[in-house]
Amino acid sequence: MWATAPLLLLLLLLLPLARLWRRGAAPLEPAGRAVLITGCDSGFGHLLALRLHRLGFTVFAGCLSPGGEGAQRLQREAGTGRLRVLRLDVTRARDVLAAKELVLSHLPERGGFWGLVNNAGISTFGETGWLSMEKYEKFADVNLLGSIRTTLAFLPLLREYKGRIVFMSSIIAYFALGNGIYSMTKAAIEKFCDALRLEMKKFGVQVCIIQPGNYARSTKIQPPVSAEEIWNELSEEEKAVYNKEYVQERANFFNRILSEGSTNGNEVVDAMVDALTSPTPKARYMVAKLKEKALVFVCALFPTVVMDCVLSYALSK
């Protein structure tokens, strides 16, 4: 362990110089490069598809409902040409394979397949025992296995063209505050990315993680929760432990957090674009308010008991 200390010190000293070089390097040329984005019906995926199209990328916009209002609006806003809307349910292997075939048949000759953005995701609220096993399975399939399923399908292309893989995570990967099911999947995808990033270095493929803070008002991933609906879905065992007043308090607390979310989703899209275009992208992009970053800092560096006290205090309010 101590033998590696001089190397770590050298890396810390060189880090500021690397950052200066990063700022001075020219961004990559988008023309002729194809990018596939999942979850483009709304939210960050929708905004990113339009941004990349304007920059000159060939965009394959995966939508859960290609005939829905969001997908149709995306196609209208982009017009004809370099943006294609396609059906892509990341929980269905045949959808992923069909998307790969479509991409292969419409690849630009110049830059080929440059990027995969695993953006599709779902969220919900509820304490651990309130949620059914079926719901846990669904969340794992969309948020975790869906990203893995899509990544494995496109990995040969990404290795061939030395491209980029971008994953949508969240600061909630570090702590849970009423939505442990979402936190669980984001923490898992972070570990998958950490392994993948190291393994892909030898192929020239870069892996980046986007960690937004509270942007609930910028996306449709988490609508306001209804205490009545939560109560009606509880098992008789859970109803014997909790009461409607407690459920209402928790719902009010979570809805208040949602109402404080940022409406500027383009801040997150900026980070996604940098991950795809920078000659030296970051491994992680945390896009969050100062108080949200402070929570992550406490969680990462302080004993668990300290973070538990902070979150318990927040929940008590």
Side-chain angles (χ1 to χ4, degrees):
M1 175 183 174
W2 296 112
T4 63
L7 177 59
L8 291 173
L9 180 60
L10 178 62
L11 289 174
L12 287 173
L13 292 172
L14 291 176
L15 187 59
L17 294 176
R19 286 175 176 169
L20 286 173
W21 176 78
R22 180 180 180 274
R23 286 198 295 267
L28 300 176
E29 174 57 49
R33 299 180 191 268
V35 177
L36 172 69
I37 311 166
T38 67
C40 293
D41 300 78
S42 61
F44 300 135
H46 190 102
L47 293 174
L48 179 65
L50 291 173
R51 179 83 70 85
L52 294 183
H53 178 258
R54 287 196 295 268
L55 288 174
F57 283 97
T58 296
V59 179
F60 295 91
C63 293
L64 185 62
S65 302
E69 191 275 331
Q72 294 299 310
R73 178 162 47 87
L74 177 60
Q75 192 68 78
R76 288 196 304 269
E77 290 170 337
T80 57
R82 289 177 288 98
L83 188 146
R84 290 177 177 269
V85 171
L86 62 143
R87 173 179 171 79
L88 182 50
D89 179 345
V90 295
T91 69
R92 295 159 58 102
R94 63 183 181 186
D95 273 21
V96 174
L97 292 177
K100 183 178 180 180
E101 291 176 4
L102 180 67
V103 168
L104 282 170
S105 62
H106 293 89
L107 268 185
E109 293 183 5
R110 179 181 169 189
F113 190 69
W114 175 248
L116 169 63
V117 181
N118 286 301
N119 168 73
I122 54 176
S123 178
T124 193
F125 163 80
E127 296 195 3
T128 303
W130 297 0
L131 306 171
S132 66
M133 190 61 209
E134 289 75 19
K135 189 157 286 188
Y136 278 100
E137 290 172 347
K138 178 180 179 181
F139 270 74
D141 203 10
V142 176
N143 292 357
L144 175 60
L145 299 179
S147 292
I148 296 173
R149 188 176 288 112
T150 310
T151 298
L152 293 180
F154 284 89
L155 213 50
L157 274 177
L158 290 160
R159 285 194 295 251
E160 179 181 349
Y161 291 102
K162 302 183 187 301
R164 305 277 172 91
I165 316 175
V166 180
F167 290 84
M168 181 58 69
S169 181
S170 169
I171 63 166
I172 209 71
Y174 294 94
F175 55 87
L177 199 61
N179 55 351
I181 190 170
Y182 184 68
S183 178
M184 170 195 76
T185 59
K186 292 305 181 183
I189 204 65
E190 293 248 351
K191 293 301 111 182
F192 174 76
C193 291
D194 286 342
L196 185 67
R197 184 177 60 255
L198 292 174
E199 294 164 2
M200 290 298 107
K201 282 184 179 294
K202 57 182 171 287
F203 300 108
V205 176
Q206 310 238 27
V207 178
C208 305
I209 303 172
I210 311 297
Q211 300 172 317
N214 184 1
Y215 282 84
R217 295 169 66 195
S218 304
T219 72
K220 295 182 179 179
I221 190 172
Q222 177 62 71
V225 299
S226 165
E228 190 67 26
E229 290 180 8
I230 294 171
W231 179 258
N232 291 336
E233 291 179 2
L234 292 184
S235 66
E236 292 305 316
E237 291 87 349
E238 294 300 307
K239 286 181 179 179
V241 176
Y242 299 95
N243 55 48
K244 284 188 176 181
E245 289 74 18
Y246 180 84
V247 174
Q248 185 66 64
E249 287 175 3
R250 295 299 90 201
N252 291 343
F253 169 79
F254 196 66
N255 285 334
R256 187 165 63 251
I257 291 177
L258 296 178
S259 70
E260 295 171 354
S262 173
T263 59
N264 186 10
N266 282 306
E267 294 171 344
V268 178
V269 174
D270 289 343
M272 299 166 85
V273 171
D274 191 79
L276 289 166
T277 60
S278 171
T280 53
K282 300 177 184 178
R284 281 176 167 83
Y285 292 80
M286 186 174 293
V287 190
K289 297 175 183 176
L290 182 59
K291 66 178 181 180
E292 293 170 332
K293 291 180 178 179
L295 269 177
V296 173
F297 178 81
V298 172
C299 185
L301 297 181
F302 285 75
T304 301
V305 65
V306 175
M307 192 61 182
D308 285 352
C309 288
V310 172
L311 296 179
S312 294
Y313 177 78
L315 286 167
S316 70
K317 294 295 181 180

